Amino acid sequence: MNYFYYPGCSLTGSAREYDLATRAVLAAAGATLTEIDDWTCCGASAAAPISHLLSLSLSARNLALAEGMASDGDVLVPCSACYLNLKKAHTVLKTDADGRARINAALSAVNLTARGRGRVRHLLDVLATDLGSGGLAPLMARSLSGLSVAPYYGCQCLRPFVEFDNPERPVSMAPLIEATGADVFAWEMGARCCGAALVNTQPEAGLKRVAAILRAAKGADLIVTVCPMCQINLDAWQAKASRIAGEDLSISVLYLPQLLGLAMGLSAEALGLNLNLVILEGVREKIER
Amino acid sequence: MNQSNEPNTHPLAAIQSMVRACIQCGTCTGSCPNADEMDLTPRHMWRRVIMGHLDRIMTSRTFILCSDCYTCTLRCPRGLPLTDAMEMLKGIAFARQEKKHRHPRHFYEQFLATVRRHGRIRELEFMSRYFTTVRNPMVPLRFAPMGLKLIQKGKVELGFGHATDTPLAPLFDKVAAMDQAAPESAAEEDQA
Ligand code: SF4
Ligand code: SF4
């Protein structure tokens, strides 16, 4: 399995552990990642309100670079916001001739052309569909039994494009968690919005979203995420959310590939575990054996 | 109240055509995780959009509180592109430099300015420019504890010894020229 890898800005900064764990787990599972040369920002949620064409063109630039590297292949994206932006651009390139012409007119300023070849895939899709729990289970070197794990999907890997899971009641993480020997914590908040950038632009509203999710996860040992925005909201802002909510909402938050990597016997360093902000002692003892 | 009653030149025209089929069922409001903080619920917002109440809409926090979760878009029984519509309202408010929404506008603009200069986001540069433009000492204070935590972990892209630096000014300029020439076409793509 070969993929063009688009890390996106978060995975070179605040989400470095997600990058490390993704590369380590996919390498251990026999998949080959080729990072897109000279990739640039997808525009995040900032470009679209300012210019729809800018948002599409920033994303399409990266697709054009991947197309220039080989004739075919899927683009693999771990960040849900990047995934959605790249997927929107890809959909316009594939299905809307006028839109494609406008994007390529813009890209001509940087001497690139995008066609919309291959597919844009979220990391969770690749883990759940291409590798699957059946493919990953034999790679598990130890069991994480006794751990209760709350799968947190967030929004943009599930909606509005319905590709690999139910956008209301997602289930694709469950078999992957079970493959590690851990239990899946039953809750209703897996697809509930974490507030996204609201913690930055409208903190009172954003922190309420975070608090509601953390409160619902009480009883689980940890939450697993598949998006740097979800991770930073639930991980880095949980102290502040606890203070505002007036109750202790602390819980360990890991990226899904970190959990898988631990069960596969990969080292804590290889998975960037020292970079997570919150791993509670009890959980650390259970996972770092 | 309206600047113009001509449907094609009304600033809300594109969004009106996106939500005209709304039957006011309230599913969007019931689905929205942020509806409790909004001064106009999503359902109410679409009503105002159809009525063309631009001034009231522009002073609303509703679209600023949209976190792009796509739950309303997924559930609307009329299949309307509501998240895109919220995004376009944000865009109109930013373009009009609405005073009420200057903080989020600066946040988005400084983010993009960093991307234009370097191709990728550089958190430290982006945040310090954002703090400079908002000129409100409370804003950096709010971020300081977490910023320090992240810097201690080496998780902030400081931009030193950076391997890649791909200025995207030509792409930004080209898009701006194209948007200038055909300002409505971006909106119309969304209706397809
Ligand atoms: S869910 Fe759709 S039809 Fe119902 S009120 Fe909202 S926009 Fe209108
Ligand atoms: S996309 Fe925006 S308006 Fe729609 S449900 Fe989510 S937060 Fe509410």
Side-chain angles (χ1 to χ4, degrees), chain A residues 31-152:
Chain A
T32 309
L33 299 191
T34 310
E35 184 169 337
I36 296 173
D37 274 339
D38 192 36
W39 59 266
T40 45
C41 177
C42 70
S45 59
I50 307 228
S51 162
H52 187 61
L53 179 60
L54 180 63
S55 170
L56 292 174
S57 305
L58 283 171
S59 295
R61 178 181 183 279
N62 298 298
L63 300 177
L65 291 172
E67 288 173 10
M69 289 167 71
S71 62
D72 218 345
D74 290 356
V75 174
L76 169 62
V77 193
C79 166
S80 298
C82 300
Y83 162 75
L84 179 56
N85 278 337
L86 263 55
K87 186 131 178 87
K88 279 182 178 169
H90 187 265
T91 304
V92 172
L93 289 168
K94 261 191 98 141
T95 61
D96 167 3
D98 289 348
R100 180 170 60 234
R102 279 176 63 78
I103 289 172
N104 281 319
L107 289 183
S108 69
V110 286
N111 303 316
L112 287 169
T113 311
R115 289 176 187 80
R117 274 198 311 243
R119 291 168 69 196
V120 174
R121 310 280 307 279
H122 192 275
L123 173 67
L124 177 57
D125 181 14
V126 166
L127 290 172
T129 312
D130 296 10
L131 301 171
S133 55
L136 289 167
L139 307 173
M140 300 297 171
R142 67 190 182 98
S143 168
L144 299 176
S145 64
L147 268 189
S148 170
V149 177
Y152 184 73

Side-chain angles (χ1 to χ4, degrees), chain A residues 16 38 51 88 168 209 274, chain B residues 34 75 153-154 166 179:
Chain A
R16 266 178 31 227
D38 192 36
S51 162
K88 279 182 178 169
E168 298 267 11
R209 301 292 86 80
N274 56 320
Chain B
N34 302 307
R75 292 185 185 167
K153 290 265 186 185
T166 305
D179 279 342

Side-chain angles (χ1 to χ4, degrees), chain B residues 112-161:
Chain B
L112 285 181
T114 311
V115 174
R116 180 191 165 100
R117 271 192 301 275
H118 302 295
R120 297 183 191 173
I121 201 63
R122 293 188 177 174
E123 281 122 355
L124 200 65
E125 176 181 323
F126 155 52
M127 290 311 271
S128 47
R129 282 177 189 264
Y130 169 60
F131 296 152
T132 309
T133 49
V134 298
R135 282 190 308 232
N136 173 347
M138 290 313 291
V139 173
L141 278 179
R142 211 167 69 207
F143 286 95
M146 176 158 96
L148 283 178
K149 260 193 260 174
L150 293 179
I151 289 172
Q152 277 161 8
K153 290 265 186 185
K155 293 175 88 168
V156 173
E157 177 57 80
L158 300 172
F160 308 130

Side-chain angles (χ1 to χ4, degrees), chain A residues 147-152 183-190 192 209-225 234-235 238 247-254 280 283:
Chain A
L147 268 189
S148 170
V149 177
Y152 184 73
D183 295 322
V184 178
F185 180 75
W187 69 336
E188 299 293 319
M189 299 293 264
R192 185 69 66 86
R209 301 292 86 80
V210 171
I213 292 162
L214 295 174
R215 195 176 295 119
K218 278 193 175 175
D221 290 302
L222 53 90
I223 299 176
V224 284
T225 66
L234 299 181
D235 183 21
Q238 69 175 240
E247 59 182 308
D248 180 11
L249 296 171
S250 39
I251 183 166
S252 310
V253 190
L254 294 189
L280 302 176
V283 170

Side-chain angles (χ1 to χ4, degrees), chain A residues 9 12-14 16-17 38-41 44-46 48-49 51-52 54 56 58 61 84 88 102 105-106 109 155-156 159-160 167-168 193 195-196 198 200 202-203 205 208-209 236-237 240 274-277, chain B residues 33-34 36-37 61 64-65 67-71 74-75 87 90-91 107-109 111-112 115 119-121 123 142-143 146 149-150 153-155 157 166 168 170-172 174-175 178-179 182 185-186 189-190:
Chain A
C9 301
T12 64
S14 57
R16 266 178 31 227
E17 65 271 40
D38 192 36
W39 59 266
T40 45
C41 177
S45 59
S51 162
H52 187 61
L54 180 63
L56 292 174
L58 283 171
R61 178 181 183 279
L84 179 56
K88 279 182 178 169
R102 279 176 63 78
C155 300
Q156 299 187 340
R159 303 182 290 267
E168 298 267 11
C193 179
L198 290 183
N200 300 313
Q202 306 287 325
K208 266 198 229 168
R209 301 292 86 80
W237 291 102
K240 192 149 190 198
N274 56 320
L275 294 168
N276 291 61
L277 295 181
Chain B
N34 302 307
D36 58 335
E37 332 274 309
R61 298 174 70 215
I64 295 294
L65 280 162
S67 51
D68 291 339
C69 78
Y70 289 91
T71 313
L74 185 75
R75 292 185 185 167
E87 207 154 68
K90 244 181 242 178
F107 190 85
Y108 284 27
E109 283 176 356
F111 185 99
L112 285 181
V115 174
R120 297 183 191 173
I121 201 63
E123 281 122 355
R142 211 167 69 207
F143 286 95
M146 176 158 96
K149 260 193 260 174
L150 293 179
K153 290 265 186 185
K155 293 175 88 168
E157 177 57 80
T166 305
L168 294 176
L171 180 60
F172 275 69
K174 175 82 185 183
V175 167
M178 290 176 67
D179 279 342
S185 56
E189 268 166 40
D190 277 333

Side-chain angles (χ1 to χ4, degrees), chain B residues 37-108:
Chain B
E37 332 274 309
M38 291 170 172
D39 52 327
L40 295 175
T41 65
R43 177 196 65 78
H44 201 160
M45 175 59 85
W46 310 133
R47 187 79 201 127
R48 294 270 181 173
V49 166
I50 292 164
M51 309 281 281
H53 294 169
L54 184 64
D55 295 343
R56 175 65 188 96
I57 292 168
M58 285 295 109
T59 55
S60 166
R61 298 174 70 215
T62 294
F63 46 87
I64 295 294
L65 280 162
C66 172
S67 51
D68 291 339
C69 78
Y70 289 91
T71 313
C72 55
T73 300
L74 185 75
R75 292 185 185 167
C76 172
R78 305 291 285 173
L80 306 179
L82 304 175
T83 313
D84 293 346
M86 287 288 185
E87 207 154 68
M88 288 174 67
L89 288 172
K90 244 181 242 178
I92 294 178
F94 292 167
R96 288 165 54 99
Q97 311 227 341
E98 293 285 344
K99 222 175 157 183
K100 181 164 179 143
H101 305 305
R102 54 186 278 276
H103 279 202
R105 172 165 58 85
H106 287 317
F107 190 85
Y108 284 27

